[in-house]
Amino acid sequence: MVTISRQAGAGGDEIARLSAEELGWKLLDNDAAERLLAEKGFPRAEAETFEDKEPGFWHRFSFEKDRYLHFLKMVSYEFACQAGGVILGRGGQILFADVPGVIRVRVMAPLQDRVARVRDASGGDERRVRQDVQRSDNERAAFHRFLFHTNWDSPDLYDLIINTHDISLKTAADLIVKAVSAKEMTGKKREASRRLENLYLAEKAIVAILFEQKLPIRRLEIEWNDGAITLKGTARDRPSIERCQETAASVCSVKRVNNEIRFEPKYVELLGGIQHSTEERMTG
């Protein structure tokens, strides 16, 4: 698995395409991600609102943010389960941070290089192109702050940082392929496969519980441990807790479910799904 984060105009899109071709893997770019999201029931028009940028006013509310994030995780993990792939953007370096054997790549270049590359490709005015490049960088940084509460530029998020100032895009792709083929990475395939399947099934169950069945479970989490799953969160009625357990067990194909969801009847739903406890509203 490879995730690629890129500054605008640094050549990351082309590097992702070349890397996927050399490895014989599929590429999950923005168009492919939106298509998969639509197939799962998340409309393309809504997905475009979150496309590597901070969303508009209404989509900033907790329910819309959580809905998009869980659908994004589900399609990303499902894609990754298919024997390798290259994921471009969409916070892949964060979604796969705990998956062994994943190469998280950052593609960057000096601003002037990036402006020149975009200008040569589009033929636009340099001043306008510079503004567009900087705006794109700012939007991607805002996307990561909003969804993941992290600094997009932090080197701690990446295993390999490539500056395309003096390195060709083909050479950059070759570096990624070589990193993927390294012995310390190839030896983690079985562990990575198991981890990815668990992540995918957990997110699939969360989507089914919260957004398909619309069960009133707050802060729902599903954790795996030795073939069993643990459910955590709070609910306003006991039947919802039981249905949550049944759905999770069915989707994750497990017999052992540790249900730690707490019964807390005193909360209300606002704005179609943003939930606040009575105590939170009194103190907030």
Side-chain angles (χ1 to χ4, degrees):
M1 271 295 303
V2 173
T3 71
I4 296 181
S5 171
R6 76 287 194 210
Q7 292 179 322
D13 293 60
E14 179 66 9
I15 291 171
R17 185 187 67 78
L18 291 171
S19 300
E21 286 183 357
E22 289 190 39
L23 291 164
W25 290 353
K26 292 183 179 180
L27 171 63
L28 186 68
D29 56 13
N30 281 337
D31 186 64
E34 289 174 2
R35 184 173 63 253
L36 292 178
L37 285 166
E39 290 174 0
K40 298 297 183 180
F42 198 99
R44 181 180 287 263
E46 292 185 35
E48 289 175 350
T49 304
F50 293 90
E51 185 179 318
D52 277 344
K53 61 179 180 290
E54 190 174 27
F57 176 76
W58 287 109
H59 288 84
R60 292 173 63 89
F61 287 108
S62 177
F63 177 77
E64 290 298 333
K65 170 186 174 181
D66 290 347
R67 178 168 167 261
Y68 172 75
L69 185 56
H70 285 301
F71 269 87
L72 176 64
K73 287 180 178 180
M74 180 177 65
V75 299
S76 297
Y77 294 144
E78 183 179 27
F79 173 84
C81 285
Q82 302 171 2
V86 177
I87 294 182
L88 179 65
R90 303 273 180 170
Q93 74 276 26
I94 300 164
L95 298 182
F96 293 87
D98 296 326
V99 179
V102 174
I103 304 293
R104 298 174 300 159
V105 180
R106 170 75 157 171
V107 179
M108 57 172 293
L111 177 60
Q112 191 56 42
D113 288 8
R114 297 188 286 126
V115 170
R117 181 178 283 118
V118 174
R119 186 191 63 226
D120 291 345
S122 65
D125 172 73
E126 180 172 349
R127 179 173 174 274
R128 179 67 177 271
V129 169
R130 180 180 295 271
Q131 291 175 343
D132 290 344
V133 167
Q134 291 176 319
R135 181 174 62 252
S136 177
D137 286 346
N138 291 336
E139 288 179 343
R140 288 173 181 172
F143 170 87
H144 286 78
R145 285 195 305 270
F146 176 71
L147 275 185
F148 306 111
H149 309 290
T150 191
N151 179 7
W152 180 55
D153 288 320
S154 174
D156 295 339
L157 298 176
Y158 308 100
D159 305 297
L160 178 62
I161 299 177
I162 300 175
N163 186 334
T164 56
H165 174 64
D166 289 321
I167 295 178
S168 71
L169 305 188
K170 176 63 168 60
T171 299
D174 290 342
L175 288 172
I176 293 172
V177 172
K178 186 174 182 179
V180 170
S181 304
K183 183 178 180 180
E184 57 267 30
M185 293 300 170
T186 57
K188 299 179 180 179
K189 288 184 178 180
R190 179 176 297 181
E191 183 182 356
S193 178
R194 182 172 60 251
R195 175 67 174 152
L196 286 169
E197 183 178 9
N198 289 349
L199 287 169
Y200 164 61
L201 290 175
E203 288 301 328
K204 184 179 179 181
I206 289 174
V207 167
I209 291 165
L210 297 183
F211 308 113
E212 294 175 3
Q213 297 187 17
K214 295 181 171 57
L215 297 181
I217 310 294
R218 299 181 69 225
R219 301 187 182 93
L220 176 62
E221 296 180 11
I222 299 179
E223 300 176 354
W224 286 82
N225 185 21
D226 295 329
I229 58 174
T230 298
L231 307 180
K232 295 183 179 181
T234 60
R236 66 178 179 179
D237 61 79
R238 299 189 188 281
S240 292
I241 296 177
E242 295 175 1
R243 287 182 60 193
C244 180
Q245 177 171 333
E246 293 170 358
T247 301
S250 175
V251 173
C252 296
S253 300
V254 295
K255 295 182 179 180
R256 289 191 296 147
V257 178
N258 303 316
N259 195 337
E260 297 181 6
I261 297 177
R262 301 191 310 275
F263 174 50
E264 292 185 3
K266 294 184 179 180
Y267 72 83
V268 298
E269 294 185 4
L270 300 175
L271 295 174
I274 304 176
Q275 301 162 344
H276 303 275
S277 69
T278 303
E279 180 180 353
E280 287 172 340
R281 288 185 288 114
M282 291 177 64
T283 59

